[in-house]
Amino acid sequence: MEQYKGRAIVQKIAAGRIWFYTKEEQSVKRYRVEDTEKEWKRYEAARDEAVRELNGLREKAVRELGEINAAIFEAHALMLEDRDYSDSVKNIIETQGVNAEYAVAATGDNFARMFSGMEDEYFRAKAADVQDISERVIGILSGRRKRKKMGKEPVIVVAEDLAPSETVQMDKSKVLGFVTRQGSSQSHTAILARTMNLPALIGVPVREEWDGKMAVLDGVNGLLYVDPDEETLENMRKLQKEEQERIRLLTEYKDQETVTKSGRRVRLCANVGSVSDVAGALQNGAEGIGLFRSEYLFLEADHCPTEEEQFQTYRLAVEMMAGKPVVIRTIDIGADKRAPYMEGEPFHLEQETNPAMGLRGIRLSLEKEELFKTQLRAILRAGAYGEVSILYPLITSVEEFKRAKALLKEVEEELADFGIPCGKVRQGVMIETPAAAVLSDLLAAEAEFFSIGTNDLSQYTMAVDRENPRTEEYFDSHHPALLRLIEYTVKNARAAGIPVGICGDLGSDESLTEFFVKVGVDELSVPPSRVLPLREKIRNID
């Protein structure tokens, strides 16, 4: 048995086999070939395999997501079977005498540039699609698709590091927990682990040779056991039973009010990243969705979600909450939250020296107006089915918020002109920059509510990169400057008569719950698994 120490993210225990995740190599090499006919046949076989894959994905999507969300796979299969595309690949192979991988990559780039330059928005959207199908064929040709996939049994995912775009695309029903060498307790992967309520360790010296071995992830003590002995397994089973009993006792709070002994009412909502998370929110008695992270809809996809795809997702979440409030944060793509297709239309995300302070959040939305308006239309349409609010991320000035409000009004008028039903949504500011906190008195005059994003507010206040484990020792969740900014923001919100909530990780910190209640926070929005423990905590505050 081997034992390794790490930093625990979620204090739970999991036992199962290790699945070592390795990143796929993205580069395509160009080399000369003698037998171009053989190379062409390689391409044809890979193309046919890709079409079979896409048809299979379409059938799976129809069963799980419906016809609308499955249409993209059918469209991709048709593009692969297009004669112009295949003729281009064949021409490059034969005239240049090069390998099929390079011919496909070149064809994908050429077609993407062609579509991007067209005036028609429909054809411009095809640029990302053609890049995606090209990458699929290249993956088959190069053998990268043969990398071992998750089996039928749930596993402990072990990796050097995990990007949000990688974790969100995993089959969550098969993940028991996460173990990585890199990352920090404030990283987005850590946030996802909390949302999924899965044990996670960071800072573990992982090794690929562990793949397939039995392991125990002890999130309580921050330990990973590889090839555990029977005694260790038995101790872990006991701890798991204790945790299950604790969860059972908490269920008595599910339908109770979130109110202190002195009568102070606090709304307890849930943070979610997908429709599947909404079920967990309801199961744990959440009083609403305080933060729907819409960017995960984009990260889980292999293309930019259309207005209809977004609308169907938001509508389903709103309908599931059955009248309870749903706050949808507009896309917060950028920094470490990006997917391969975002290098093309309509994002054109470039590598940045300091992405945390780069083109992200509301900045990206205001620069990519059509992308932003598409999302606003989808949210407004979903608003016809329940109580919906819009939350704008990374606001640093009153002018940014006014521009966002103006675009929403423009979209609202467009929908009315076409007779498309939409709801009246509230508009709020996410207070996650010191600038927004300092200007909270001015922003409160324009906003209908505040939601304090403590993850980024902490990062920017203390100048600590949340993705850098080397600066973790400088992070202090109880830093006086941070708490002062929160208290100042709440004071200004209450003076203006608008509600204010906490939607960052600090909302789950029970050592700060009493502070939040006393300064006047109206709402705490936390991972679904934290709703009941916090309700118990608040009901015992005098």
Side-chain angles (χ1 to χ4, degrees):
M1 180 179 72
E2 301 172 60
Q3 178 180 312
Y4 300 90
K5 182 71 176 174
R7 179 160 183 167
I9 303 299
V10 178
Q11 294 189 341
K12 291 189 69 178
I13 293 168
R17 296 202 176 275
I18 289 173
W19 181 69
F20 196 93
Y21 178 85
T22 54
K23 298 178 187 290
E24 293 183 356
E25 179 61 46
Q26 296 295 325
S27 61
V28 175
K29 294 181 179 179
R30 180 183 188 275
Y31 57 86
R32 299 279 300 176
V33 296
E34 296 297 328
D35 191 342
T36 56
E37 179 63 25
K38 180 179 178 182
E39 207 65 17
W40 167 245
K41 290 188 181 300
R42 279 187 68 226
Y43 164 73
E44 286 187 308
R47 179 198 60 195
D48 294 344
E49 174 63 24
V51 170
R52 284 193 293 271
E53 280 185 11
L54 288 164
N55 289 334
L57 287 170
R58 181 189 177 282
E59 292 173 8
K60 183 175 186 290
V62 167
R63 292 194 303 270
E64 298 178 0
L65 305 171
E67 286 282 352
I68 292 175
N69 294 313
I72 184 63
F73 299 115
E74 182 177 8
H76 281 194
L78 289 173
M79 288 180 76
L80 264 181
E81 293 172 324
D82 181 77
R83 184 172 177 178
D84 290 336
Y85 183 91
S86 292
D87 284 351
S88 174
V89 174
K90 187 173 186 179
N91 181 63
I92 292 173
I93 290 174
E94 292 180 347
T95 59
Q96 299 183 35
V98 293
N99 55 310
E101 291 90 340
Y102 176 79
V104 172
T107 296
D109 290 342
N110 293 338
F111 273 64
R113 277 194 292 269
M114 176 184 70
F115 284 128
S116 298
M118 292 183 176
E119 293 183 5
D120 191 296
E121 185 178 350
Y122 172 80
F123 284 106
R124 287 204 305 271
K126 292 293 181 185
D129 290 338
V130 77
Q131 289 282 30
D132 187 78
I133 63 171
S134 299
E135 288 174 9
R136 181 177 293 277
V137 175
I138 291 168
I140 295 170
L141 283 166
S142 63
R144 290 202 303 266
R145 290 307 180 94
K146 295 179 180 178
R147 180 171 60 84
K148 186 175 67 65
K149 298 180 180 180
M150 284 185 185
K152 294 182 179 180
E153 296 300 318
V155 293
I156 296 172
V157 178
V158 176
E160 284 288 331
D161 195 14
L162 288 167
S165 58
E166 293 167 330
T167 51
V168 298
Q169 293 183 64
M170 291 178 181
D171 184 344
K172 298 173 184 63
S173 65
K174 294 180 181 177
V175 179
L176 297 170
F178 297 105
V179 179
T180 64
R181 181 193 299 273
Q182 301 177 45
S184 74
S185 60
Q186 303 304 310
S187 68
H188 286 285
T189 299
I191 293 170
L192 183 66
R194 294 187 188 101
T195 300
M196 294 168 64
N197 196 28
L198 292 175
L201 291 179
I202 58 174
V204 177
V206 302
R207 296 208 296 267
E208 191 169 355
E209 64 195 55
W210 295 347
D211 189 54
K213 290 187 176 182
M214 191 68 187
V216 170
L217 198 174
D218 179 1
V220 178
N221 300 299
L223 295 170
L224 176 70
Y225 299 94
V226 180
D227 281 336
D229 55 33
E230 190 55 42
E231 182 181 354
T232 301
L233 283 171
E234 186 57 35
N235 289 335
M236 294 303 108
R237 291 189 192 107
K238 288 180 181 178
L239 288 173
Q240 280 183 310
K241 286 182 180 179
E242 291 172 7
E243 174 64 19
Q244 289 166 359
E245 178 61 16
R246 164 72 176 155
I247 293 172
R248 188 190 66 79
L249 293 172
L250 282 172
T251 56
E252 67 181 69
Y253 291 97
K254 180 180 177 182
D255 298 318
Q256 294 188 21
E257 285 191 327
T258 311
V259 59
T260 66
K261 288 184 177 180
S262 55
R264 172 84 164 87
R265 182 81 169 80
V266 180
R267 176 183 280 172
L268 260 182
C269 295
N271 296 337
V272 302
S274 66
V275 170
S276 60
D277 293 337
V278 176
L282 291 170
Q283 187 179 2
N284 285 278
E287 298 168 70
I289 300 299
L291 178 65
F292 189 109
R293 297 186 175 99
S294 69
E295 58 271 15
Y296 285 112
L297 174 61
F298 290 75
L299 292 172
E300 288 176 340
D302 59 0
H303 65 287
C304 183
T306 64
E307 177 186 329
E308 188 64 25
E309 289 170 334
Q310 291 186 61
F311 162 65
Q312 293 293 347
T313 298
Y314 305 146
R315 178 189 61 79
L316 185 54
V318 172
E319 286 183 338
M320 288 174 69
M321 292 308 294
K324 294 177 180 177
V326 176
V327 178
I328 302 174
R329 178 173 69 186
T330 58
I331 184 172
D332 188 17
I333 290 295
D336 67 324
K337 289 187 286 186
R338 55 198 297 155
Y341 74 86
M342 292 177 183
E343 294 178 6
E345 283 281 356
F347 295 94
H348 286 304
L349 284 182
E350 298 177 0
Q351 294 296 330
E352 297 177 305
T353 304
N354 194 349
M357 297 186 180
L359 189 65
R360 53 172 295 207
I362 195 66
R363 298 170 182 173
L364 179 67
S365 294
L366 292 176
E367 182 172 300
K368 310 292 184 183
E369 270 195 20
E370 283 308 311
L371 174 73
F372 192 33
K373 288 169 71 174
T374 297
Q375 181 172 40
L376 294 179
R377 281 194 295 270
I379 296 174
L380 282 169
R381 290 170 61 193
Y385 295 83
E387 185 181 333
V388 174
S389 299
I390 293 180
L391 183 61
Y392 300 112
L394 211 74
I395 294 287
T396 58
S397 69
V398 177
E399 288 70 29
E400 286 174 334
F401 185 51
K402 285 183 176 180
R403 283 181 63 193
K405 288 170 66 178
L407 283 173
L408 184 76
K409 184 174 178 59
E410 184 181 323
V411 167
E412 199 170 12
E413 291 172 351
E414 289 174 0
L415 290 173
D417 289 342
F418 284 101
I420 300 174
C422 64
K424 184 65 179 175
V425 303
R426 294 188 312 152
Q427 297 180 78
V429 172
M430 193 166 185
I431 306 292
E432 55 181 340
T433 66
V438 172
L439 295 176
S440 55
D441 57 333
L442 301 179
L443 286 167
E446 296 287 337
E448 293 173 273
F449 69 97
F450 282 163
S451 188
I452 303 175
T454 58
N455 299 334
D456 272 331
L457 186 59
S458 302
Q459 170 175 246
Y460 297 132
T461 300
M462 289 176 275
V464 172
D465 181 357
R466 61 196 284 190
E467 299 295 329
N468 187 351
R470 296 184 64 185
T471 59
E472 183 128 20
E473 63 180 290
Y474 300 102
F475 177 82
D476 177 9
S477 62
H478 294 204
H479 196 289
L482 176 63
L483 299 185
R484 284 187 183 186
L485 286 175
I486 291 173
E487 189 169 5
Y488 181 71
T489 299
V490 175
K491 177 183 175 181
N492 287 328
R494 296 189 71 79
I498 64 171
V500 57
I502 305 280
C503 66
D505 275 353
L506 291 194
S508 300
D509 188 340
E510 293 188 28
S511 66
L512 288 173
T513 305
E514 193 164 341
F515 166 77
F516 292 144
V517 172
K518 286 186 175 181
V519 299
V521 170
D522 299 293
E523 175 183 297
L524 295 175
S525 191
V526 298
S529 62
R530 296 294 301 153
V531 171
L532 293 179
L534 277 172
R535 183 164 292 150
E536 178 189 38
K537 173 75 176 180
I538 292 170
R539 287 181 62 85
N540 284 304
I541 291 177
D542 190 348

